[in-house]
Structures are given as structure tokens and as C-alpha cells.
Amino acid sequence: MKFIAKIALGFMLPIAAANSAESSVVNVYSFREAKLINPIIERFSASTGIKVNVVSGKADKLLKRLIQDGDNSFADVLLTSNVVRLEKAKQLGLLQAIESDYLKQHISPELRDPEGFWYGLSIRARAIFYAKDKVNASDIHRYEDLTSEAWHNKICTRKGSHTYNRSMLASFIALHGEKWAAQWARGLVNNLAMRPTGGDRDQLRNVNRGKCDLAIANSYYFGTMSQSASLQDRQVYANLGVIWPEQLGSGTHVNISGAAITNAAKNKENAQLFIEFLLTEQAQTMYSNINHELPIRQDIQASDLVRSWGEFKADIGSVAKLYQHLDAADRIIDSTGW
């Protein structure tokens, strides 16, 4: 896989610097499931001797807790699964900027805050999935193709109000304007096979059950189904293919998981070491192997499974612009009933 960016190759993370940290702990608020990051956390603690305490929860609840606790907050680090949540935390004054040559050298400017308030850790793509026995993948090249009458009653998605779809629509607004995005959303809704319900994996299952021919979903869910304990989900993986839209244009819509240091951090040095560790080759490789996401570092290959889906061009240029177009995206979603 590839994305259009130039990232300087840098030096190795100075793990020895952990010896100068104020204490041997770092406290993390994570919007991600603990099981997705525990192996990386264990490796960090083994490498540095720093204990990582993690509180996992829903994004809105943890942000509310950060606001309520103020300077007395427990959290040193915020781990999120969407750039808009990082930007929201920044706008609420919950984050502090950090200076790190290591992070700057390994992360494209498009995938980190220009003022240093947040940094991307991994990339996830929102792709189009199709039933191999019903759809010719060469018939679809753009997201706009999903509005064609050829796909009437043949598309499944989760609710438009979910952050994944809000962010995708915000990227369309950034690229094409609000009028174009509204027209696209109306066309998509007209082609839905059923009322949006469930998560991304449910949409992929619906395709396998014959309830629709196409689905929009984050690619890492597809990866998790390939290794599921459920035979049904493994069959979903076998029977569906992936399309990377917009390869002749801006590229497939992507978002990031990311990290930031809270404004109330009591263990700032350890927090920065932790975030820098997440950009090491070791951690980036683990991200891809465990979560089926793309490494944020261009000099590190994705897992064999992810690479088996084919290389693609990603729209990294829209990532930092998503937050500013969310209100417009919400208006469109409400007006179209997505």
C-alpha cells in the first residue's frame, strides 16, 4: 500500500531517555478497545520500565470526564480512533503541544497537527466492498459511482450519523464543496437496500447474505473477519472483495488513529516517550499485524494480509480538514435521512 507523502527517515527512539522521567508511570485515556493496544503497551513497558495505566471508554464520555476533572485529570495521554476527536479535544483546550523531532521526521505534515497538539499513529481506509459473485469490480472507480441507478436497492451502510460516515462526508465537502456532497448523499440514500443499522461488520455480513451487493466499511474490519473465530465471518471475508475508489483522483478516504498529551498531564516526559514508542518500527508493525491498519510511517510495510488487498492512493490531504466541515456534513445527513 502507499499514500502520497514524503516522510523523512529518522533516528531510533532514544529509549534510554526513560531513565530521566519524573516517575515510572504514564496514564492513558483510550477511545480504542484495550485488546487492540495491550500488546503494544506491554512491549513499551518491557522496553522502558514505565507502567501504563489505561482507562478505555466511549469518546464522548472520556472527553466529558477530561473537562470535568480539569487540572486534576488522571490522564497524561489521549488515544483516539478519529482525527476529528483529536481536533475537538484541541479546540476544547484539553491538549498541550509537544515538540518532538522524532515524531516530525516520521509523520507526514498532513497527518499531524501543525502546532504539535496531536499526531497520527496509523491509517484506516473507508473502502467499498462487493459480492464477488455479483459485481464486476471494474464497474466502480469513484464514490460517486455509488449514486448510479445501477445500484438501486443494492448498497448497505451504517447510519450516516456515525463518526466514520460523518468524517467521510466531511472529506467530500473539503474536496468538492457542500452542494456536491449533498447531491452524493441523496444519491446514496436512494440506493440503500435497507434502513441503516448495525456496524461496519454487519454491512459486510449483509452483502454475504445477499441483502445487498455493495457496502461501505473501514478496511480493518474486513481484516478482523479474516481471522474471526466465527466460520460465518471467515466466509464473509472469502466471498467479498475490496475496491479502493478515487485512484485517478484525490484517493480513497482515510482517517487516522492518533495520540496527544493532555493539558493536565502530570507525567509529560513519560507521555511523550510513550507516543514516540508508538512510532517505532516495532510498534508500527504491531499496529498493522494486530489491527489491520496502515502504518503511519511510509518506510514501514503493512502486514501481508493488508498488502494482499492491493496498493492504493490515499487522500491524506483532507485528514486535517475534516473537523471544520463536520457541521455541514451533519446538516446534509439530517436533510437526507441517511
Side-chain angles (χ1 to χ4, degrees):
M1 301 242 178
K2 61 183 177 180
F3 53 94
I4 308 305
K6 293 182 179 179
I7 303 177
L9 304 184
F11 46 89
M12 294 181 63
L13 174 66
I15 294 296
N19 295 329
S20 64
E22 296 176 2
S23 64
S24 57
V25 66
V26 62
N27 301 312
V28 177
Y29 273 5
S30 175
F31 299 171
R32 311 201 69 181
E33 295 180 48
K35 66 181 181 181
L36 298 179
I37 59 173
N38 280 344
I40 300 173
I41 287 173
E42 291 171 1
R43 194 66 59 88
F44 170 76
S45 293
S47 300
T48 65
I50 297 173
K51 180 181 179 181
V52 182
N53 298 313
V54 180
V55 174
S56 298
K58 297 292 185 180
D60 290 342
K61 289 185 177 180
L62 288 181
L63 281 176
K64 183 177 180 180
R65 185 169 171 181
L66 273 175
I67 295 170
Q68 291 175 336
D69 291 347
D71 291 339
N72 296 320
S73 176
F74 160 90
D76 300 310
V77 173
L78 198 63
L79 291 181
T80 80
S81 56
N82 193 310
V83 68
V84 299
R85 289 166 175 157
L86 288 166
E87 189 61 29
K88 181 177 181 179
K90 175 188 174 181
Q91 298 300 324
L92 290 171
L94 301 176
L95 308 180
Q96 60 176 296
I98 57 174
E99 282 293 328
S100 170
D101 291 338
Y102 184 79
L103 296 178
K104 289 179 179 178
Q105 289 193 35
H106 286 85
I107 305 174
S108 167
E110 294 92 341
L111 301 174
R112 53 181 165 87
D113 180 61
E115 298 177 297
F117 281 89
W118 52 260
Y119 293 86
L121 299 176
S122 63
I123 298 172
R124 63 265 303 282
R126 197 144 186 81
I128 300 170
F129 295 86
Y130 66 97
K132 291 179 180 178
D133 62 344
K134 295 180 179 179
V135 176
N136 184 343
S138 63
D139 290 339
I140 301 174
H141 301 282
R142 307 168 299 168
Y143 291 107
E144 189 175 6
D145 292 335
L146 298 179
T147 66
S148 168
E149 290 184 3
W151 306 113
H152 186 60
N153 291 334
K154 293 183 179 180
I155 301 175
C156 288
T157 78
R158 71 195 305 163
K159 290 182 179 180
S161 58
H162 190 275
T163 186
Y164 297 155
N165 286 332
R166 292 173 71 219
S167 297
M168 181 176 68
L169 195 58
S171 76
F172 296 167
I173 296 170
L175 290 165
H176 308 297
E178 191 169 342
K179 182 178 179 180
W180 187 98
Q183 183 176 350
W184 179 87
R186 284 193 295 271
L188 176 72
V189 170
N190 287 337
N191 284 344
L192 292 181
M194 62 182 68
R195 183 182 179 87
T197 184
D200 279 7
R201 277 173 285 203
D202 294 308
Q203 314 314 316
L204 301 179
R205 292 172 184 134
N206 285 336
V207 174
N208 193 52
R209 292 172 184 145
K211 294 183 177 181
C212 43
D213 293 351
L214 301 170
I216 301 174
N218 282 354
S219 57
Y220 62 88
Y221 286 115
F222 190 53
T224 62
M225 297 180 93
S226 74
Q227 301 171 352
S228 173
S230 164
L231 174 59
Q232 180 190 45
D233 280 353
R234 295 198 303 274
Q235 289 174 334
V236 170
Y237 182 82
N239 294 336
L240 270 61
V242 59
I243 296 170
W244 306 114
E246 310 297 342
Q247 294 307 286
L248 298 178
S250 58
T252 299
H253 167 63
V254 295
N255 209 315
I256 61 170
S257 70
I261 296 180
T262 68
N263 201 37
K266 309 299 188 300
N267 304 288
K268 182 178 178 180
E269 187 173 346
N270 290 351
Q272 182 164 333
L273 283 170
F274 177 66
I275 294 174
E276 288 174 342
F277 179 83
L278 298 178
L279 266 293
T280 61
E281 181 176 357
Q282 183 180 52
Q284 287 282 291
T285 300
M286 292 177 73
Y287 256 116
S288 188
N289 288 334
I290 296 170
N291 301 338
H292 313 295
E293 295 175 316
L294 292 165
I296 206 88
R297 286 177 50 172
Q298 194 176 13
D299 60 317
I300 297 176
Q301 282 193 331
S303 68
D304 290 342
L305 178 67
V306 173
R307 284 189 286 116
S308 73
W309 304 334
E311 289 191 351
F312 71 93
K313 176 184 175 183
D315 175 25
I316 66 170
S318 296
V319 171
K321 303 173 185 177
L322 300 181
Y323 183 78
Q324 67 193 70
H325 296 295
L326 278 184
D327 287 344
D330 289 339
R331 288 195 298 270
I332 292 171
I333 290 165
D334 289 343
S335 67
T336 59
W338 183 11

